[in-house]
Amino acid sequence: MAVTRLRARMRSEGGTRGVADWSIAQLMVLRRVLEDGPMSGAALAAAEHVTPQAMAQTVAGLERAGLVIKQPDPTDGRNRLVCLTDAARAVIASVNASRQAWLVRAIDDTIAPAERADLDRAIELLERLAAADLGPGSELW
């Protein structure tokens, strides 16, 4: 619950408001394409756990705004890949800068210097949890 609350707080305090009023879904698509590279609408829908129809609407809005373009897939001419524009990269940079600034201020204001090592350790443990592979036969120890 704490991670969910922090994530929501970073979204609200860290720059999604006022960044041309982009929705969380739109920002997530931009971030996904930035991190994973150009992808088809179907691959984006699967990655974001939404229907292809919902993703098509999200991508269409981003395309109208000039944040993404669709280009032919070089490996499959029947497919088109969603690619970022320079304007999208600027939006992402702005959101990242706002979120980072808010988080730095929040840590400075609420975490005592003596507690910073505890915060570093907590982040390390959360990273390990996020990367956990609990498939058949996996063990944590």
Side-chain angles (χ1 to χ4, degrees), residues 29-102:
V29 166
L30 296 178
R31 185 174 308 279
R32 173 74 63 179
V33 175
L34 178 69
E35 291 173 359
D36 296 346
M39 14 187 3
S40 69
L44 276 168
E48 293 298 320
H49 306 287
V50 299
T51 66
Q53 295 83 359
M55 184 54 66
Q57 288 179 340
T58 299
V59 169
L62 292 170
E63 198 170 16
R64 281 190 303 275
L67 297 178
V68 300
I69 57 172
K70 292 181 184 172
Q71 297 182 337
D73 184 336
T75 62
D76 181 355
R78 299 168 295 171
N79 251 344
R80 295 179 56 81
L81 301 179
V82 176
C83 304
L84 298 181
T85 65
D86 289 340
R89 292 178 196 287
V91 167
I92 293 166
S94 175
V95 169
N96 287 344
S98 295
R99 287 179 177 174
Q100 184 175 3
W102 177 83

Side-chain angles (χ1 to χ4, degrees), residues 8-22:
R9 183 70 188 267
M10 286 183 67
R11 283 180 176 166
S12 69
E13 298 289 341
T16 57
R17 281 190 224 141
V19 181
D21 296 320
W22 304 118

